[in-house]
Amino acid sequence: MPLADRIRPSTLDEVVGQRHILAQGKPLYNIISRGKIPNMIFYGPSGVGKTTVANIIAQKTSMSLYRLNGTQASTSDIKDVVANLGTFGAAGGILLFLDEIQYLNKKQQQTLLEYIESGEITLIASTTENPYFYVYSAVLSRCTVFEFKQVTAEDILPAVERAFRLMGEEMHTQFTLEEGVVSHIAYGCGGDVRKAANTVELCCLSSEDDTVTMETAKLLTQKSSMNYDRDGDHHYDILSGLQKSIRGSDENAALHYAARLLAAGDITSLCRRLLVIASEDIGLAYPMAVPIVKACVDSALQLGLPEARIPLGEAVVLLATSPKSNSAYLGINAAMQDVEDGKTGDIPRQLQNKHYDGEGNAVKGQHYLYPHDYPDHYVKQQYLPDAIKDRVYYTFGDNKFEQQSKVYWDKIKGKK
């Protein structure tokens, strides 16, 4: 059994972090203390105590505990659990702990629905993905969702110290820890208590003369500081943090989130998001941001890591410190919405790509006015279809560049 399981807390007071739901007087603490357990879904990143709390709940009830993992469970496995209902072994009811419920398909989740609703099975499910996207709505509506947050390094420190003590007891020795080892492991494991405990175990097993050096700790915690999954919620949270920091003109926060993506080796996601931001959030306030960011992205992709961080850092700072405008973004969104809503209409005759008229046309001739034949290369004519001829999608932003354009076009169009 891994050390992370051997030091798993047996009481709520020993659980690391999650004080927002597990401190005395908080909702989940009160529910568990009263012993009447509802259907629940525990949502949060790996290694933050979801399974530990489920185990503690199981110890406090008279129900029979069954465990399934969504990555391996089949419909027949679920039916085997259901088959125990009414038997002597399930006289107190069944508590089903379903880990990684997001991997069960809709039919498998529906198999449980009848028994959850009747109260014959009490479900405690855990997931690292947003349950509102991955759990069948009928199951979700019968459960209470509790979010488990990433544990801070300060919270992990006591767990790391306890892990070293237990390893010393089991190996009949007292480990000598170089200064900084405990804090390095706690801070380096990205809020994952399980990962921290496993790192402690590896440090002890690989130590010489019962001394754990900083060199060993750094080697065994390398890359573990990234709680990262390219297809998971945390991945999109980092990208969201990056874009919102740039949009909010906080270059320091933007560099932080970019660094987290780079530390995970995810150049592609960072490059794609920077290209989007250049047009969506900086836009016409500084149009040159687009080609500059494109040049930085091309350089980064050609260089690869670690040098790629340099042009990408330049792009992040440029975007964060540039003036902002989403006028073009709002304009294309409004136009797309009209198209999706069917607000289109026929293209005006003068714009059509044909130079003849059918017999049914009352007005013959295309009558297109060629703007280059007129002063200032502009002439007023209708371009939108009749049904939406007065629609306005774009409004000039209040930045220097767009206001200069507005002055120019007000002058030109005001002449006509």
Side-chain angles (χ1 to χ4, degrees), residues 223 226 228 230 259-267 305:
K223 290 292 184 183
M226 286 303 301
Y228 190 78
R230 288 173 190 257
R260 289 170 72 161
L261 291 164
L262 291 171
D266 193 355
I267 296 181
L305 287 170

Side-chain angles (χ1 to χ4, degrees), residues 206-232:
S206 62
S207 67
E208 293 184 7
D209 303 323
D210 299 332
T211 298
V212 178
T213 65
M214 273 296 290
E215 181 182 1
T216 299
K218 288 179 178 179
L219 177 66
L220 295 175
T221 55
Q222 63 181 343
K223 290 292 184 183
S224 65
S225 61
M226 286 303 301
N227 182 10
Y228 190 78
D229 178 355
R230 288 173 190 257
D231 297 318

Side-chain angles (χ1 to χ4, degrees), residues 67-349:
R67 298 173 182 270
L68 291 177
N69 189 297
T71 60
Q72 302 170 332
S74 64
T75 303
S76 62
D77 293 325
I78 297 172
K79 289 180 177 178
D80 287 343
V81 173
V82 171
N84 287 285
L85 289 169
T87 65
F88 180 77
I94 286 179
L95 177 65
L96 173 61
F97 179 61
L98 181 53
D99 200 12
E100 305 290 0
I101 189 176
Q102 73 270 19
Y103 290 107
L104 294 187
N105 60 39
K106 183 177 179 179
K107 183 178 179 181
Q108 290 172 318
Q109 293 185 38
Q110 284 177 318
T111 304
L112 288 169
L113 189 58
E114 174 187 348
Y115 306 99
I116 294 173
E117 193 166 25
S118 68
E120 295 174 278
I121 290 179
T122 298
L123 175 68
I124 298 180
S126 75
T127 175
T128 56
E129 306 292 348
N130 192 328
Y132 297 100
F133 295 150
Y134 289 90
V135 179
Y136 178 46
S137 58
V139 172
L140 188 63
S141 68
R142 290 160 176 81
C143 297
T144 301
V145 177
F146 287 98
E147 183 177 1
F148 283 60
K149 299 182 182 297
Q150 191 165 337
V151 181
T152 65
E154 289 78 8
D155 286 334
I156 293 179
L157 283 170
V160 173
E161 292 170 347
R162 189 168 72 247
F164 273 118
R165 286 197 301 271
L166 180 61
M167 285 298 297
E169 292 171 4
E170 291 180 349
M171 296 177 69
H172 306 291
T173 187
Q174 183 172 349
F175 287 99
T176 300
L177 311 177
E178 283 191 0
E179 185 177 353
V181 165
V182 172
S183 60
H184 179 81
I185 294 173
Y187 280 88
C189 288
D192 190 326
V193 183
R194 183 188 302 112
K195 189 178 293 185
N198 290 340
T199 301
V200 169
E201 185 170 28
L202 289 172
C203 286
C204 293
L205 293 174
S206 62
S207 67
E208 293 184 7
D209 303 323
D210 299 332
T211 298
V212 178
T213 65
M214 273 296 290
E215 181 182 1
T216 299
K218 288 179 178 179
L219 177 66
L220 295 175
T221 55
Q222 63 181 343
K223 290 292 184 183
S224 65
S225 61
M226 286 303 301
N227 182 10
Y228 190 78
D229 178 355
R230 288 173 190 257
D231 297 318
D233 287 345
H234 197 64
H235 163 78
Y236 294 105
D237 286 344
I238 294 175
L239 289 174
S240 178
L242 171 73
Q243 183 160 5
K244 288 172 181 173
S245 298
I246 291 176
R247 184 183 296 151
S249 302
D250 188 329
E251 65 275 15
N252 297 307
L255 285 169
H256 170 77
Y257 294 117
R260 289 170 72 161
L261 291 164
L262 291 171
D266 193 355
I267 296 181
T268 303
S269 295
L270 177 56
C271 289
R272 290 183 70 253
R273 188 56 64 103
L274 291 176
L275 289 169
V276 169
I277 294 169
S279 294
E280 179 180 344
D281 294 304
I282 284 72
L284 295 175
Y286 181 44
M288 282 302 296
V290 173
I292 293 173
V293 170
K294 179 62 166 61
C296 289
V297 164
D298 288 345
S299 297
L301 293 176
Q302 187 170 2
L303 289 168
L305 287 170
E307 291 84 358
R309 75 188 188 284
I310 302 170
L312 291 178
E314 179 182 348
V316 168
V317 173
L318 173 76
L319 294 176
T321 57
S322 292
K324 308 296 189 291
S325 173
N326 67 342
S327 56
Y329 168 76
L330 294 176
I332 188 61
N333 283 355
M336 291 292 295
Q337 190 61 55
D338 268 3
V339 172
E340 291 174 9
D341 293 343
K343 298 175 182 177
T344 51
D346 294 332
I347 297 173
R349 176 67 185 87

